[in-house]
Amino acid sequence: MMDMITRFKLAARNAARNRRRSMATLASVVIGFVALSLFEGYFVSVYSSLEDEVIVGERLGHLTVGKPGLFDKGAQDPRRYAFTDRELARATARLSALPGVKLVSPRITMSGLVSNGDTSRIYIGEGLRAEDMLALRGEKYADQPGKLDPQRTQGAVFGKRLAESLGLKAGSDATLLGATLDGMVNAVGIEMLEASATGSLGTDDKFVLVSLATARRLMAFEGAERIVLLLEDGSDLPATAAAVKKVLAAEGIPVEVRDWRTLSVYYNQVKSLFDMMYLFISVVVAIVVLASVFNTMGMTITERTREIGTLRALGMQVRTLDSLFVLEGMLIVAIGCGLGIAITLAAGFLINGAGITYMPPDAAAEVPLVVELVAANLGGSLFTLVVLAALASYLPARRASRRNITGALSHV
């Protein structure tokens, strides 16, 4: 019985014996592995950036809590689906006591016209506490532009293109016009703190961010439309959402809870697109590796048919023969993937250090091109390709090892 170490040695010798063919297969594996890994690293970076953009940039947090029907019918009857000041106080106290809840942030959405005194533009806006915005950003994004000032409750942050269209600069006064929850027209004065790009062309020319106090004055309402929760760990959102519903139901406040993935249509659309692209690239690479290994092993086995017949005549078992060819294919691919990992790490380092930027669709500013390589993903790609190599090697080996011994020995 041949031990596994001996089989590996024989497989390595056989691969080296067919050096030219093995090198061609090795090259195709390396190129395919590097292309797949770099694309995967880029997609991981995009997903991470999108998640931060939604949770922090769009200020959605991890969970959004609202009265039942708010997300579907809230615009039709805003007062009916809003939290009163008493409900908000009770809900905030209970939610703040929940384990894992880092921030409880009441919000109000606004829309209407914003004027500089001469011209007006349509705006959509949000009111939140300046302290909540700082907590939501954390240390990672603390120095990013677009911050409200806790000391200036009339301060507002404008989308960059909206500020430019109105000719506003830092310190300029403007007026927000909108409807209260009862449908009455109201107006409040604000001061522009700064103009900051929202990151999306669809909102940069109409977005205004104000303090919660300003939004309440405009809406003539002391409660909140919804409550946004930021968690210590966002890995188990369904369990936290269930806990939120339970504690508020005990207070007599029925709610529905939606996570950031459900609320962010843009995230879901972009992720679906990139998932499909990654699937397509993965299938192409897998087909290339399969075809290359199958072709190499098929030609190798055909050339060694008489050798196979001799080994069978000497009593070598069919399973042992199969394993030798399978190990040979796996070894070639494993070496190719190992070289591919080294090249991928070097290429990723060079790309990340090159300072390359590009303009994504619907973006208001360029973003850096980053490749975020994850060890688990590299290992998963290696494992998958090695398994495919085993399959591609086994098929021709099985056919050859089961040939009649006499026919194999007389093969020319």
Side-chain angles (χ1 to χ4, degrees):
M1 187 73 178
M2 189 181 298
D3 60 41
M4 188 58 68
I5 295 178
T6 303
R7 295 184 190 186
F8 267 110
K9 288 181 179 178
L10 288 174
R13 289 176 183 175
N14 289 331
R17 186 169 65 176
N18 300 284
R19 189 170 302 160
R20 182 176 299 177
R21 198 174 295 133
S22 297
M23 290 299 293
T25 304
L26 197 68
S28 66
V29 172
V30 170
I31 294 172
F33 186 91
V34 171
L36 178 63
S37 299
L38 289 178
F39 272 111
E40 186 177 42
Y42 171 66
F43 293 162
V44 169
S45 172
V46 169
Y47 293 160
S48 178
S49 298
L50 281 175
E51 183 173 339
D52 286 351
E53 175 63 27
V54 173
I55 294 174
V56 179
E58 295 182 18
R59 299 164 301 281
L60 285 181
H62 290 105
L63 296 173
T64 299
V65 183
K67 292 282 190 72
L70 169 70
F71 300 103
D72 300 319
K73 303 177 182 178
Q76 301 173 15
D77 190 354
R79 181 174 289 277
R80 177 183 176 184
Y81 298 104
F83 292 102
T84 65
D85 53 347
R86 293 184 178 181
E87 290 175 331
L88 180 62
R90 288 157 49 204
T92 300
R94 292 305 299 269
L95 293 175
S96 298
L98 274 179
V101 174
K102 186 177 181 180
L103 174 67
V104 179
S105 178
R107 306 289 178 84
I108 293 178
T109 301
M110 318 167 299
S111 62
L113 294 175
V114 55
S115 173
N116 62 359
D118 298 316
T119 59
S120 299
R121 295 287 186 273
I122 295 173
Y123 78 90
I124 53 174
E126 183 177 47
L128 77 161
R129 295 183 299 226
E131 298 84 356
D132 293 349
M133 188 176 186
L134 297 176
L136 183 64
R137 290 186 169 201
E139 295 182 1
K140 184 177 181 180
Y141 298 102
D143 297 328
Q144 293 295 313
K147 293 183 292 186
L148 293 172
D149 188 344
Q151 306 301 320
R152 300 161 71 179
T153 57
Q154 286 189 302
V157 176
F158 280 63
K160 187 175 181 180
R161 295 176 66 203
L162 176 61
E164 290 173 351
S165 68
L166 290 171
L168 298 178
K169 299 180 180 179
S172 298
D173 293 328
T175 303
L176 294 180
L177 291 88
T180 67
L181 291 189
D182 297 316
M184 303 295 292
V185 177
N186 196 13
V188 294
I190 57 173
E191 175 191 358
M192 193 182 89
L193 298 176
E194 64 175 302
S196 176
T198 63
S200 171
L201 293 176
T203 58
D204 199 42
D205 62 346
K206 57 180 70 71
F207 186 74
V208 178
L209 184 67
V210 300
S211 67
L212 184 64
T214 297
R216 283 173 168 170
R217 290 202 312 273
L218 179 64
M219 305 297 286
F221 179 67
E222 291 302 316
E225 175 193 45
R226 65 195 188 282
I227 302 172
V228 171
L229 303 181
L230 181 68
L231 309 179
E232 297 285 355
D233 181 10
S235 60
D236 193 4
L237 297 181
T240 307
V244 168
K245 291 181 180 179
K246 183 177 180 180
V247 298
L248 293 185
E251 285 288 323
I253 308 175
V255 296
E256 62 176 311
V257 183
R258 297 194 179 183
D259 62 47
W260 62 271
R261 290 186 180 89
T262 303
L263 293 175
S264 181
V265 176
Y266 179 73
Y267 174 85
N268 292 318
Q269 290 175 339
V270 173
K271 189 174 187 302
S272 296
L273 172 64
F274 276 75
D275 285 345
M276 185 58 63
M277 291 171 60
Y278 179 69
L279 176 62
F280 177 78
I281 294 169
S282 299
V283 170
V284 170
V285 171
I287 291 174
V288 169
V289 171
L290 271 172
S292 181
V293 174
F294 185 85
N295 179 64
T296 297
M297 297 309 300
M299 294 181 66
T300 298
I301 290 169
T302 300
E303 293 174 354
R304 291 158 59 184
T305 300
R306 295 181 67 182
E307 177 185 333
I308 292 171
T310 301
L311 292 173
R312 290 281 289 114
L314 292 173
M316 181 174 284
Q317 295 182 352
V318 171
R319 288 184 303 173
T320 303
L321 268 174
D322 290 343
S323 66
L324 287 175
F325 290 112
V326 168
L327 286 174
E328 184 177 340
M330 292 174 65
L331 186 62
I332 293 173
V333 172
I335 293 173
C337 290
L339 293 173
I341 289 175
I343 295 173
T344 298
L345 293 175
F349 178 79
L350 292 175
I351 292 171
N352 293 339
I356 302 171
T357 60
Y358 66 101
M359 180 72 75
D362 194 42
E366 290 188 341
V367 299
L369 175 63
V370 177
V371 176
E372 191 172 326
L373 299 174
V374 181
N377 292 343
L378 295 175
S381 298
L382 185 151
F383 176 78
T384 302
L385 292 180
V386 169
V387 170
L388 290 175
L391 176 63
S393 302
Y394 174 74
L395 295 177
R398 184 180 186 278
R399 184 174 65 251
S401 63
R402 284 157 179 77
R403 286 189 62 175
N404 180 275
I405 294 177
T406 304
L409 289 171
S410 61
H411 178 80
V412 179

